[in-house]
Amino acid sequence: MARILIVEDEEDLAGLLDYNLRGAGHVPTVASTGAAALARLKSAQPELVLLDLMLPDIPGSEVARLIREQPEFARTPLIMVTARGEESDRVRGLELGADDYVVKPFSVKELLLRVNAVLRRSEGMAAERGTPLSSGAIRLDPARHEVRVEGEPVALTALEFRLLKTFLERPGRVQTRETLLSDVWGISAEVTTRTVDTHIKRLREKLGRAGDAIETVRGVGYRMGPG
């Protein structure tokens, strides 16, 4: 059971999602505008957000950014639900920190499966414990869910954190895009290999010069080189 914030302006669809999520044992809250969603964040305390990108007031992309800017919700799983299904839209959504991207029209059963997959992955990450990992200037503490570069904290999304942790756990070993999709995303449903490239580009940018340690192995994938 999880608290889920549904941000959807289509009343019929919002009602359908609310009904089915309740039937699956979750506790949904519905917001029909971006402003309403942001206003209800603290009271709803969502463990997952279902976010439509095409809202009547604030673009969903801006709502996602504002959610991610709040420390207590920076790692809250977020699934974007939208009619915009072009690859560029998917990539943009994932760049904004979305954990998954579902295109309308969709099967409610499929959406529930994706919701449960994202929640399982999030719960698994929250439960992870272990000794800190490091490479050069990068230090990752699984217990604190914290990343530092040269002693300075770096804010990563949940997916970026798991991606970096995977590289640090396997130094020098080449990770194919398919392996990363399976081990980091935990799903194989319509997530293109370009998604991996997009997230690695963003992770490198956040790590600054230390991000150069994530090496591209042409035609194969990526690996964590010497720091």
Side-chain angles (χ1 to χ4, degrees):
M1 182 179 73
R3 298 182 300 276
I4 298 177
L5 177 60
I6 303 167
V7 190
E8 174 58 64
D9 66 320
E10 294 182 35
E11 186 176 347
D12 290 346
L13 179 55
L16 181 66
L17 292 173
D18 180 81
Y19 175 81
N20 282 277
L21 286 167
R22 288 184 188 279
H26 300 299
V27 181
T29 298
V30 177
S32 58
T33 66
L38 293 169
R40 293 178 189 172
L41 269 178
K42 292 190 183 299
S43 61
Q45 289 292 307
E47 295 164 87
L48 183 142
V49 178
L50 285 175
L51 175 64
D52 186 1
L53 283 183
M54 301 177 71
L55 297 170
D57 55 345
I58 307 171
S61 56
E62 179 67 6
V63 175
R65 186 185 68 79
L66 292 170
I67 290 174
R68 288 290 186 240
E69 281 187 351
Q70 301 186 48
E72 63 267 49
F73 301 112
R75 295 189 177 90
T76 299
L78 191 156
I79 298 178
M80 291 184 173
V81 183
T82 179
R84 297 164 61 176
E86 296 298 321
E87 184 178 16
S88 59
D89 294 319
R90 291 172 182 258
V91 170
R92 174 61 176 156
L94 293 165
E95 283 180 339
L96 289 167
D99 294 83
D100 203 353
Y101 193 105
V102 181
V103 179
K104 299 177 182 178
F106 54 82
S107 157
V108 173
K109 181 178 179 181
E110 179 191 358
L111 180 65
L112 290 175
L113 288 172
R114 288 179 180 240
V115 165
N116 290 333
V118 170
L119 286 171
R120 281 196 305 272
R121 187 167 69 237
S122 177
E123 289 167 1
M125 291 179 66
E128 284 178 348
R129 294 293 182 269
T131 56
L133 301 166
S134 62
S135 177
I138 304 169
R139 180 180 173 84
L140 181 148
D141 189 332
R144 294 177 178 271
H145 211 276
E146 179 182 79
V147 172
R148 290 180 177 271
V149 174
E150 295 182 347
E152 295 299 317
V154 177
L156 300 182
T157 66
L159 269 172
E160 290 163 352
F161 184 92
R162 191 171 179 84
L163 185 59
L164 178 59
K165 183 172 182 288
T166 298
F167 281 122
L168 290 172
E169 288 174 333
R170 306 167 185 178
R173 291 167 51 188
V174 177
Q175 305 300 308
T176 67
R177 292 171 177 83
E178 290 74 20
T179 296
L180 292 171
L181 282 174
S182 174
D183 294 353
V184 178
W185 275 256
I187 55 175
S188 59
E190 297 182 8
V191 182
T192 66
T193 54
R194 184 174 173 185
T195 295
V196 176
D197 298 335
T198 299
H199 273 80
I200 288 178
K201 177 177 181 290
R202 192 170 177 84
L203 176 59
R204 282 170 168 163
E205 289 172 351
K206 288 187 176 182
L207 295 174
R209 287 182 298 178
D212 292 341
I214 301 175
E215 302 173 349
T216 301
V217 181
R218 291 189 178 278
V220 183
Y222 299 91
R223 70 180 167 206
M224 176 64 76

